[in-house]
Amino acid sequence: MKRRQGYYWTRFVVLTGLLLAFGAAIVVIGESWWQLLVAAGLAFVLGQVMFLGHDAAHRQIFASGRWNDWSSLVIANLYAGMSYGWWNHKHSKHHAKPNQVGADPDIGTGAMVFHTQDIPAAKTGFPAWFAQRQGWLFFPLLLLEGLNLHASGIKTVFGRGEVKRRPVEIAFVTVRLGGYLGLVFWALPVGMAFAFLGVQLGLFGLYMGAVFAPNHKGMPIVPANSRIDFLSRQVLMSRNVRGGRLIDLFMGGLNYQVEHHLFPSMPRPHLRRVQPIVREFCASRGIAYTETSLMESYGIVVRYLNKVGLAARDPFQCPLTAEFRSAR
């Protein structure tokens, strides 16, 4: 649980330098379709920025809560252009009760159906057609997630709900988004600028979804009225992704999802070290510890979403809670 400030300061400095370098590349390269490669690289770097903001929001970087809060504001709002307050509120609910109906916002029914327990009637027409194929459509739709993340944050900070440090969030988001759009449209022709933004936002959303989806999608769904102990709740609803240092980098440490849910304030580089202890502890108590490869996890997500989508035609015939009972 010891802080790793040297690790985090190094990542902060490197990411700051990369963002400045990409900004300079936009200006230097100018009117050229090579800018789309810059947009793709920027999408990856912004994903890494968000992982750093995630760690700060979980109090992994500093011992001081105030320092972590301000780090999150700078990283999320000023560097990435998204609302820390909106994301932290949503993510805290998820950590408290992962995959529990009515409590975890990450499985709320919207464009996607993650469970059938809150569907009042069978889906028909286009919604039914879409739901039955939602597993195959999931990853293509993630190309819109980057835009959705920005829009949700803007809606929150400029809305009427309670937002801690609202003036700071508004100032940071306005400077970031206004400066970024100004730079892109100043350096590039209008059509090329829109193409640049489309590639950057599309790949950023796909990257975020590709990292977060394997963590819980396809794991047991918990009924709204269930009471579960902390250990079982966090382990049985989470899935690790095995791999080496490259997977650690790609997923920002979230491939150790079980360990992260058990110790959310543990610094990212320590999750790999604690994994053998957690795995052994779970084995000694007969608690299922789930770990797959990255590609296997994607297959599980697609099949699970298609299964739920098919059930949405008649939600009363698909008690997904059976999966939770079997896991226990």
Side-chain angles (χ1 to χ4, degrees), residues 18 40 45 48 58 212 217 241 247 260 266 278 291 301:
L18 286 172
V45 170
Q48 294 293 315
H58 276 295
F212 283 94
K217 302 296 185 287
V241 175
I247 292 294
H260 172 57
M266 178 177 288
V278 173
E291 188 175 28
V301 171

Side-chain angles (χ1 to χ4, degrees), residues 228-240:
I228 311 168
D229 64 274
F230 175 80
L231 177 65
S232 298
R233 179 188 295 278
Q234 303 301 341
V235 176
L236 293 178
M237 315 310 157
S238 302
R239 179 192 299 114
N240 276 16

Side-chain angles (χ1 to χ4, degrees), residues 3-294:
R3 304 297 105 179
R4 288 289 300 274
Q5 292 189 17
Y7 169 88
Y8 281 114
W9 275 113
T10 299
R11 295 194 71 81
F12 179 76
V13 171
V14 169
L15 289 173
T16 300
L18 286 172
L19 289 176
L20 292 173
F22 275 104
I26 294 173
V27 175
V28 172
I29 295 174
E31 186 177 345
S32 169
W33 289 107
W34 288 106
Q35 292 280 13
L36 298 187
L37 290 179
V38 177
L42 182 57
F44 175 77
V45 170
L46 286 172
Q48 294 293 315
V49 168
M50 287 307 298
F51 295 147
L52 187 62
H54 168 270
D55 292 359
H58 276 295
R59 306 294 194 261
Q60 294 180 19
I61 300 180
F62 300 104
S64 166
R66 182 179 177 85
W67 272 74
N68 282 304
D69 280 342
W70 278 97
S71 298
S72 299
L73 286 166
V74 170
I75 295 167
N77 294 61
L78 189 59
Y79 277 37
M82 285 181 284
S83 168
Y84 158 62
W86 165 77
W87 180 87
N88 192 48
H89 178 71
K90 175 176 179 289
H91 196 62
S92 295
K93 287 185 175 181
H94 159 72
H95 263 267
K97 296 183 178 181
N99 275 20
Q100 182 156 352
V101 176
D104 183 356
D106 287 356
I107 60 168
T109 298
M112 290 284 173
V113 181
F114 296 108
H115 59 86
T116 60
Q117 296 183 40
D118 60 357
I119 298 178
K123 288 182 175 292
T124 59
F126 177 76
W129 179 91
F130 180 92
Q132 292 166 34
R133 296 162 178 82
Q134 65 175 3
W136 304 115
L137 296 171
F138 177 68
F139 286 99
L141 284 173
L142 287 176
L143 293 170
L144 300 174
E145 182 62 14
L147 186 62
N148 177 58
L149 290 171
H150 287 293
S152 298
I154 291 173
K155 181 180 178 181
T156 298
V157 298
F158 286 97
R160 296 183 177 181
E162 182 180 354
V163 177
K164 187 179 180 180
R165 300 189 179 96
R166 184 191 300 273
V168 176
E169 291 222 31
I170 290 176
F172 282 0
V173 167
T174 301
V175 169
R176 162 59 169 81
L177 295 181
Y180 177 52
L181 292 175
L183 173 64
V184 171
F185 281 97
W186 172 77
L188 305 176
V190 173
M192 191 175 292
F194 276 113
F196 182 97
L197 293 173
V199 170
Q200 186 266 299
L201 287 171
L203 292 182
F204 172 72
L206 179 62
Y207 183 25
M208 292 292 93
V211 168
F212 283 94
N215 299 337
H216 303 281
K217 302 296 185 287
M219 297 302 289
I221 296 294
V222 184
N225 59 352
S226 293
R227 298 177 66 86
I228 311 168
D229 64 274
F230 175 80
L231 177 65
S232 298
R233 179 188 295 278
Q234 303 301 341
V235 176
L236 293 178
M237 315 310 157
S238 302
R239 179 192 299 114
N240 276 16
V241 175
R242 72 172 69 95
R245 299 290 183 180
L246 187 60
I247 292 294
D248 290 358
L249 174 65
F250 176 75
M251 298 193 69
L254 295 177
N255 45 316
Y256 303 105
Q257 192 67 197
V258 173
E259 289 72 27
H260 172 57
H261 265 256
L262 290 174
F263 308 102
S265 62
M266 178 177 288
R268 186 198 313 180
H270 291 170
L271 296 174
R272 169 185 284 270
R273 297 169 58 185
V274 80
Q275 184 187 32
I277 302 172
V278 173
R279 187 191 286 119
E280 180 182 352
F281 185 89
C282 291
S284 69
R285 284 156 178 79
I287 300 174
Y289 181 98
T290 304
E291 188 175 28
T292 68
S293 71
L294 184 61

